[in-house]
Amino acid sequence: MNINYPNTNLFINGEWKTGDGKETIEVINPANEEIIGNVARAKTNDLDEALSAAEEASKTWKNTTPFDRYRIMRKAAEILRDRVDPVGQIMTLEQGKPIAESKLEVSLGADRIDWMAEEGRRTYGKLIPARSGNIYQFTVKEPVGTVAAFTPWNFPINQILQKVPAALAAGCTIILKGPEETPASCAEVVKAFEEAGLPKGVLNLVFGIPSEISEYLIPHPIVRKITFTGSTAIGKQLAALAGSHMKLATMELGGHAPAIVFEDANIEKALKILASNKFRNAGQVCIAPTRFLVQDKLYEEFVSRMTDFADNLNVGDGLNPDTRMGPLAHDRRIEAIEGFVADAKSNGAKIHTGGSRKGNKGYFFEPTVMTDVPLSARVMNEEPFGPIAPISRFSNYEEAVEEANRLPYGLAAYAYTNSTKTAEAISKELESGMVSINHHGLGLPETPFGGVQDSGYGKEGGSEGIEAYLSTKFVSQSNS
Ligand code: NAD
């Protein structure tokens, strides 16, 4: 398939432009390691221009009625929806995921814009009964101001559409630092907003050296809020910087989701859902089931079925419609996953299938299933973010809860059981921002998404998602 991969420029104050200094960063197709294009690198002058544009645009965008914002956003959603095929192809070329997953991400992205466009029309204040007759007191929701958003490469469109529509619907202006590994699909979203008539300066897109950009934008007085999706380590650094400048922050960080399978579960269903979500996007998903905890009675069967599933997974170029798992997104991931496997092996883990890089061209890694992994192994403590499935056994409910809550992460957690009583109890006890029982039900536009503890704070999506970009003003007025 011959697809034209576009180079990506910066989008500042309504114009696509090269960066000051005209430097670029190469973009690589992870399926064959070929350079397919480049992305412009922003320098300080570009960031200053984006900041001024966002500040200026804020004066009108915050006073644009929610209904007028809604009309522009709905149009952008329609434009994006009409381009599911070409944008999906661009995403697979630069990110590697199977083409069906890319297309789904584009169309779900359009749904996210629709949801937040609607939600913007419901940012109600309230009238508060006063203590005396001549006082009129109420609250109104106001946009927090200019937002600096930082998004990663694993879901190039989804991650920005968890942030941008909510900020726009709230009346905020945005400077988005997109992922340098996957810039072109991200730019397609910005183009949809541009073509839909979003006023210049409301949404600005930059790329460059991530630390240079965040260190400049976060302390800048024009920026009032930051929102970041990425690793816990970087999230802690950025949250600390935001804190020292008293900036609002939403942090969507790493996870280490426990997936508990109780002995009364429907194993067929549990395996099918958990295995496909384990290897979706080659495991580079913050809510991927990570530690599989299976009760004694089902353990052997679960390990054997998971191994079969991994063995039969068609790994290859995501543009091939038969591919079920693509390459890892960049070379750093190969090194990281090899490290996790080597460490587990040296700690006595048994590898049932996989465990190695696949081929020597492209960043492919074999779907890997391992057991007998001690709790001290790195994969049982750090987010692997790759196609590795460590499976452990447990004997009773208390043991499962203890292991599930052992780590400081708390993003997603899964459980499979046919007992309503167990389902209710476990959903209460899991220390996690999101829990899904007997199915994989997380991450829809209308539902809140986000973690606790080391997985970050704040919610994206749902009606909670827009609150992150609103501030409540209280007004008390005496009429005499
Ligand atoms: P990384 O931590 O270097 O980068 C993760 C993301 O953060 C990237 O998009 C990167 O551009 C950005 N980033 C890095 N340093 C930054 C800085 N100083 N300022 C602003 N942005 C910065 O690691 P990586 O090799 O790209 O990815 C590896 C790890 O990142 C994974 O193991 C996973 O834990 C995490 N990650 C999480 C998510 C998620 O959805 N929560 C997505 C992608 C990566």
Side-chain angles (χ1 to χ4, degrees):
M1 204 186 304
N2 222 349
I3 303 161
N4 229 353
Y5 182 84
N7 290 330
T8 304
N9 276 337
L10 313 175
F11 186 67
I12 297 175
N13 204 18
E15 278 178 31
W16 293 95
K17 46 179 293 197
T18 58
D20 185 35
K22 308 224 175 326
E23 282 180 40
T24 56
I25 299 166
E26 288 170 350
V27 180
I28 290 169
N29 177 348
N32 57 22
E33 299 180 44
E34 282 170 16
I35 297 167
I36 47 176
N38 62 53
V39 53
R41 174 183 166 183
K43 294 291 194 64
T44 309
N45 282 346
D46 303 307
L47 300 179
D48 281 337
E49 219 184 295
L51 285 159
S52 306
E55 185 182 36
E56 189 53 34
S58 188
K59 293 174 191 160
T60 42
W61 187 245
K62 72 178 178 192
N63 293 320
T64 301
T65 66
F67 189 66
D68 286 339
R69 289 184 208 135
Y70 153 92
R71 285 205 286 220
I72 294 172
M73 291 177 66
R74 289 295 299 266
K75 201 164 162 195
E78 276 315 306
I79 293 171
L80 192 59
R81 205 170 267 123
D82 283 347
R83 295 179 187 166
V84 161
D85 287 351
V87 178
Q89 285 170 352
I90 288 173
M91 191 191 297
T92 290
L93 264 184
E94 62 185 11
Q95 203 276 346
K97 67 181 66 176
I99 186 70
E101 288 182 30
S102 294
K103 289 182 187 175
L104 194 64
E105 186 173 336
V106 182
S107 70
L108 191 67
D111 294 352
R112 290 194 193 285
I113 304 174
D114 280 341
W115 165 268
M116 280 302 168
E118 294 276 1
E119 207 53 21
R121 300 168 62 191
R122 294 187 279 266
T123 53
Y124 309 125
K126 65 182 174 193
L127 191 64
I128 302 169
R131 290 188 175 203
S132 59
N134 62 342
I135 302 286
Y136 179 57
Q137 54 185 15
F138 58 95
T139 61
V140 282
K141 297 284 175 85
E142 295 185 338
V144 295
T146 296
V147 175
F150 302 87
T151 60
W153 42 262
N154 59 339
F155 290 97
I157 285 191
N158 180 67
Q159 305 288 28
I160 63 176
L161 292 178
Q162 283 280 50
K163 302 180 188 303
V164 168
L168 291 179
C172 297
T173 57
I174 309 154
I175 301 170
L176 167 66
K177 191 206 79 65
E180 291 72 25
E181 295 87 350
T182 58
S185 44
C186 179
E188 290 297 322
V189 172
V190 175
K191 275 183 207 155
F193 281 108
E194 180 193 13
E195 289 172 34
L198 192 71
K200 67 178 188 173
V202 173
L203 172 59
N204 304 275
L205 175 65
V206 298
F207 298 93
I209 306 300
S211 57
E212 267 177 33
I213 297 181
S214 57
E215 280 161 27
Y216 192 73
L217 290 184
I218 294 173
H220 201 286
I222 289 175
V223 170
R224 300 297 171 84
K225 174 180 170 108
I226 71 157
T227 171
F228 171 77
T229 299
S231 65
T232 295
I234 301 291
K236 284 183 176 176
Q237 286 174 25
L238 301 190
L241 185 59
S244 69
H245 293 271
M246 201 45 79
K247 299 290 169 80
L248 296 165
T250 295
M251 291 282 147
E252 206 281 272
L253 309 179
H256 206 292
I260 308 173
V261 182
F262 290 98
E263 62 187 11
D264 61 356
N266 175 339
I267 188 168
E268 201 135 326
K269 182 179 172 193
L271 192 284
K272 194 169 160 214
I273 299 172
L274 288 173
S276 53
N277 282 292
K278 167 74 261 179
F279 298 112
R280 182 166 75 106
N281 202 4
Q284 303 164 118
V285 183
C286 53
I287 57 167
T290 305
R291 274 168 299 148
F292 293 87
L293 314 175
V294 185
Q295 199 158 10
D296 288 330
K297 199 174 124 196
L298 296 186
Y299 177 78
E300 300 293 348
E301 187 182 350
F302 190 88
V303 171
S304 139
R305 283 182 183 233
M306 182 67 110
T307 305
D308 282 352
F309 185 96
D311 272 341
N312 291 314
L313 207 57
N314 198 351
V315 179
D317 188 329
L319 288 177
N320 179 342
D322 295 329
T323 293
R324 292 292 167 267
M325 189 180 105
L328 298 175
H330 49 64
D331 55 353
R332 303 191 298 281
R333 296 313 309 149
I334 284 284
E335 210 179 307
I337 300 303
E338 282 177 341
F340 278 111
V341 172
D343 172 78
K345 272 182 170 168
S346 72
N347 275 284
K350 181 172 169 201
I351 307 292
H352 291 256
T353 185
S356 305
R357 185 174 183 166
K358 194 173 161 71
N360 50 16
K361 197 157 185 228
Y363 307 131
F364 296 99
F365 201 91
E366 296 168 340
T368 301
V369 176
M370 51 173 87
T371 59
D372 304 317
V373 194
L375 293 186
S376 56
R378 281 183 48 218
V379 70
M380 298 302 277
N381 296 283
E382 299 166 33
E383 182 177 40
F385 224 61
I388 321 178
I391 311 177
S392 314
R393 65 197 304 160
F394 68 91
S395 318
N396 57 48
Y397 176 87
E398 288 72 26
E399 226 181 89
V401 171
E402 190 184 336
E403 169 52 20
N405 289 339
R406 178 178 56 91
L407 296 182
Y409 290 109
L411 187 59
Y414 305 96
Y416 285 78
T417 173
N418 273 343
S419 152
T420 315
K421 199 170 149 221
T422 308
E424 271 179 31
I426 196 87
S427 79
K428 277 191 201 138
E429 276 191 273
L430 289 169
E431 293 169 2
S432 179
M434 297 173 283
V435 175
S436 188
I437 297 188
N438 290 330
H439 81 140
H440 194 87
L442 310 181
L444 293 169
E446 56 275 21
T447 58
F449 189 100
V452 295
Q453 302 185 73
D454 272 8
S455 295
Y457 41 71
K459 295 282 183 237
E460 300 190 317
S463 45
E464 289 82 354
I466 196 165
E467 286 296 327
Y469 298 93
L470 291 167
S471 152
T472 299
K473 180 184 272 178
F474 170 67
V475 180
S476 182
Q477 187 179 321
S478 165
N479 289 330
S480 58

